[in-house]
């Protein structure tokens, strides 16, 4: 009996799962999933530490780190799951992530005293080599490219 997670190739050469979902993690998409996975670990670790040890010092910035971790986890899950619905959800979440990075990055530059410690999105992700601002842009470009083509 075939496993529902197996991968098949269609006549057009596009990888699909046995459940009929279009794979999003082939080629450069695999690197994207790997980077989002690393960001999940980094953001969860940082936010868990900050919330558990210093939450009273800066609750909003530390909560925003937790939001970043949730966004990264959701996007990672959506990319691995595959399919058109997951692609659209990941695309929307990447756009929300980019908006968050730009808003928090701008906020930390204009009012640095509001952020006594750096967070994932502080200064546009400078503490993470600007990956937080580059990753959603790359993700949106990749997800737009992977849009399902209408059948004829």
């Amino acid at each position: 009996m075939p496993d529902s997670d197996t991968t098949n190739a269609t006549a057009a050469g596009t990888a699909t799962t046995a459940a009929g979902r279009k794979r999003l993690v082939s080629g450069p998409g695999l690197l994207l999933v790997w980077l989002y996975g690393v960001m999940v670990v980094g953001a969860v670790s940082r936010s868990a530490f900050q919330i558990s040890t210093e939450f009273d010092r800066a609750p909003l910035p530390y909560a925003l780190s937790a939001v970043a971790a949730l966004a990264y986890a959701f996007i990672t899950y959506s990319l691995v799951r595959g399919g058109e619905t997951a692609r659209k959800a990941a695309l929307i979440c990447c756009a929300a992530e980019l908006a968050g990075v730009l808003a928090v990055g701008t906020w930390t530059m204009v009012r640095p005293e509001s952020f006594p410690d750096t967070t994932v999105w502080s200064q546009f992700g400078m503490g993470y080599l600007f990956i937080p601002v580059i990753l959603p842009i790359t993700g949106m470009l990749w997800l737009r490219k992977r849009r399902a083509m209408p059948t004829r």
Side-chain angles (χ1 to χ4, degrees), residues 37-59:
V38 168
M39 292 305 293
V40 168
V41 172
V44 166
S45 300
R46 174 175 232 147
S47 65
F49 175 78
Q50 289 174 325
I51 289 171
S52 65
T53 62
E54 304 169 333
F55 189 70
D56 57 331
R57 184 173 164 188

Side-chain angles (χ1 to χ4, degrees), residues 21-46:
R21 292 188 302 266
K22 184 176 178 182
R23 285 193 51 158
L24 298 172
V25 292
S26 59
L30 188 58
L31 177 61
L32 195 62
V33 168
W34 186 84
L35 285 171
Y36 267 112
V38 168
M39 292 305 293
V40 168
V41 172
V44 166
S45 300
R46 174 175 232 147

